[in-house]
Amino acid sequence: MAIYALYVFNRHCECIYHTSWRRGTVGNGTGGGSAAASAAATSGQNSLDAEATGDPDLAAAVAEDAKLVYGVVFSLRNMVSKLAPRKDAEGFQSYRAGAYRLHFFETPSGMRLVMTTDPASE
């Protein structure tokens, strides 16, 4: 299983940690995200490193990607909770797109872990 990125959000929906790993060959660029975020992903930098290096474009791109990821998770959680037959249903744990699989886990304390992996992983 190849892991592409890991995001950790606190209970206030703020991204407190992010790291990306190399995806291999980029190919036609359908992986999504911005060019600066792709550069961070191929270099193995995390968001804290991007801010520490003083590159405002890279830090902004990482922050933008974190907001988009959380927006997807938030929207899917709401949609699944409305479509679930029981109120105590667990919700979604992962979904697969063409270029990645997104895994979601929420701790009892409200921390949310989001990981993107290769689509073949379970």
Side-chain angles (χ1 to χ4, degrees):
M1 171 168 79
I3 299 174
Y4 297 152
L6 174 69
Y7 299 87
V8 179
F9 297 95
N10 64 10
R11 69 175 76 170
H12 305 293
C13 309
E14 299 167 348
C15 182
I16 58 174
Y17 181 77
H18 165 263
T19 190
S20 296
W21 292 276
R22 183 179 306 254
R23 289 189 186 203
T25 58
V26 175
N28 61 4
T30 59
S34 62
S38 298
T42 57
S43 66
Q45 292 179 338
N46 64 33
S47 61
L48 302 176
D49 291 340
E51 293 171 2
T53 59
D55 187 357
D57 294 334
L58 182 58
V62 169
E64 174 94 9
D65 286 346
K67 287 179 187 176
L68 290 172
V69 166
Y70 191 81
V72 166
V73 168
F74 182 79
S75 298
L76 281 174
R77 284 181 59 219
N78 284 339
M79 183 177 65
V80 168
S81 69
K82 288 182 180 23
L83 294 175
R86 297 186 328 252
K87 292 295 180 192
D88 61 343
E90 189 172 323
F92 88 100
Q93 295 176 347
S94 71
Y95 80 91
R96 186 177 64 196
Y100 64 92
R101 178 181 286 265
L102 186 136
H103 305 267
F104 174 72
F105 177 72
E106 185 170 6
T107 65
S109 64
M111 299 290 282
R112 295 172 180 99
L113 304 165
V114 179
M115 181 173 61
T116 56
T117 62
D118 62 331
S121 65
E122 286 298 321

